[in-house]
Amino acid sequence: MSPRTRTIGSSNPEYVNARVRVRRAALFDEEEYRKLVRMGPSEIARFMEETEYESEINALGARHSGVDLIEYALHANLAKHFDDLLDWAEGRLYEFIANYLRKFDAWNVKTVIRGIYAGADPETIESDLIRAGEFSDREIDRLLEARSIEEVVDQLQGTIFGDPLEAAYEDYEGTDTLVPLENAADRTYYEHILDNVGAVSGEADDPVTRYAEFLRAEIDFRNARNALRLARTGAEIDPGEYFIEGGTLFERHELSGLVANREELLGRIEESTYGDRLDEALVGLREAEGQSLIAFEHALDTALSAYADRLANRYPMTIASVLSYILAKEREVDNIRAIARGREAGLSEEEITEELVIL
């Protein structure tokens, strides 16, 4: 997706939400996931060919096969659908959607950095990229050409991520953990999007109010995820340096103490407005280490999606319906990819199902 701007005209949420409802109805349901977990990668690709992924599977089938074909098709379809959202939207609604989709620029930056850190080849890294943000194909290709994390940081100069990642690079070198760089990418994205939200009226149907409400929840969940990851690393990193402003769950000055005291950190999350949606995951975190954090992150994804769905149902003529659909489409792509990778790795149906996020 190449950078575009279109702010002339008034917002058109009625039209966009009507189109989104049609797209949402076509998403895979629980029964279809049950079918997929019993299939091998080639069968999954054939199944996808009978769905809305048909054009991507056919277009990419000559160059890729198996899990690679599935992943490239998923990401191409995701980018197409989100590009459609921008084609449909006008005015401030377009601005809100375009700024929100820059999350995929942050995702791609982190994916390239992770791939280089793990020693993956460019083709493997590319299969995980999602070209749905503002970066042009050429900008993404230049990131893929980088042979070191330092080169990635250099390539990002001139973008909103350049200076923050350059500042975080020193911490990365000192700790040999990707947390400083990943958090810098996330923090830059959220700071940028909040700077462009505009004035909040507080009225129930005000689109800016609903947009800001959703972003606060997403920032809270991101801070919770990052705090738990920092608590797990044991690295000497000041959590306040990578705190994302804009949420309500934590304050910057208290984060260092919470990261150092895992039980207090879990208690804070448990006592928050999100606690009732995360009860089961919090119990898992207390009872076991290891993969329990993965389960908690899945619970965060589920809770955020449910939060967006509730906003969409309550305020149907705001951006909430679009945000809810974006998360649902992401969830579908993540679930299909997890199934394909799980089947390729020989995981059992039960193990694969545990990796899925289904509302």
Side-chain angles (χ1 to χ4, degrees), residues 73-338:
L74 287 170
H75 292 161
N77 182 269
L78 185 78
K80 179 182 74 175
H81 277 241
F82 293 165
D83 208 22
D84 286 344
L85 293 176
L86 294 174
D87 286 339
W88 300 335
E90 299 288 349
R92 290 301 305 280
L93 181 61
Y94 174 90
E95 291 181 25
F96 288 160
I97 296 171
N99 280 325
Y100 186 72
L101 291 177
R102 294 208 69 177
K103 66 191 283 185
F104 294 107
D105 291 335
W107 165 268
N108 289 335
V109 168
K110 293 185 293 182
T111 298
V112 172
I113 288 173
R114 289 168 185 163
I116 293 174
Y117 184 81
D121 60 77
E123 185 172 334
T124 299
I125 297 172
E126 185 179 12
S127 69
D128 283 332
L129 298 181
I130 301 174
R131 297 173 185 253
E134 190 171 299
F135 283 171
S136 66
D137 285 341
R138 180 57 191 140
E139 287 173 307
I140 293 176
D141 290 341
R142 282 201 294 266
L143 292 179
L144 284 168
E145 292 166 4
R147 291 295 175 264
S148 68
I149 292 176
E150 187 174 13
E151 281 187 44
V152 173
V153 175
D154 289 341
Q155 289 285 1
L156 290 169
Q157 290 303 315
T159 74
I160 62 171
F161 300 99
D163 290 343
L165 263 74
E166 183 177 20
Y169 187 76
E170 184 177 345
D171 283 342
Y172 156 70
E173 287 190 305
T175 62
D176 195 32
T177 173
L178 295 181
V179 171
L181 294 170
E182 292 182 342
N183 281 3
D186 287 333
R187 191 178 69 253
T188 300
Y189 161 71
Y190 284 111
E191 287 176 352
H192 175 78
I193 197 172
L194 288 173
D195 285 344
N196 288 277
V197 166
V200 176
S201 74
E203 295 179 5
D205 289 328
D206 174 45
V208 180
T209 299
R210 299 285 71 81
Y211 190 40
E213 181 179 352
F214 173 81
L215 291 176
R216 282 195 297 271
E218 190 166 80
I219 289 169
D220 279 337
F221 286 9
R222 177 61 62 183
N223 279 330
R225 189 190 307 257
N226 288 345
L228 285 164
R229 285 179 176 176
L230 285 170
R232 286 278 299 278
T233 65
E236 293 186 4
I237 299 174
D238 178 9
E241 290 293 319
Y242 303 100
F243 176 73
I244 301 171
E245 299 282 0
T248 59
L249 184 57
F250 304 113
E251 296 289 342
R252 181 189 296 271
H253 66 83
E254 64 186 359
L255 202 56
S256 294
L258 291 172
V259 167
N261 188 328
R262 188 168 178 270
E263 185 57 36
E264 188 176 343
L265 172 60
L266 295 179
R268 172 63 65 84
I269 298 170
E270 190 172 46
E271 294 166 6
S272 73
T273 56
Y274 313 115
D276 59 338
R277 303 184 193 98
L278 301 171
D279 277 346
E280 187 175 338
L282 288 167
V283 169
L285 275 172
R286 284 193 168 94
E287 291 179 349
E289 297 291 336
Q291 291 193 348
S292 59
L293 182 55
I294 296 174
F296 180 75
E297 293 187 353
H298 285 330
L300 285 176
D301 292 337
T302 301
L304 183 63
S305 294
Y307 189 84
D309 290 346
R310 190 168 71 253
L311 286 178
N313 290 331
R314 190 176 299 172
Y315 309 107
M317 287 300 104
T318 69
I319 192 177
S321 295
V322 177
L323 296 174
S324 174
Y325 167 70
I326 289 173
L327 293 183
K329 182 63 179 178
E330 286 183 80
R331 191 167 63 242
E332 176 180 89
V333 167
D334 289 343
N335 283 340
I336 298 173
R337 183 173 54 201

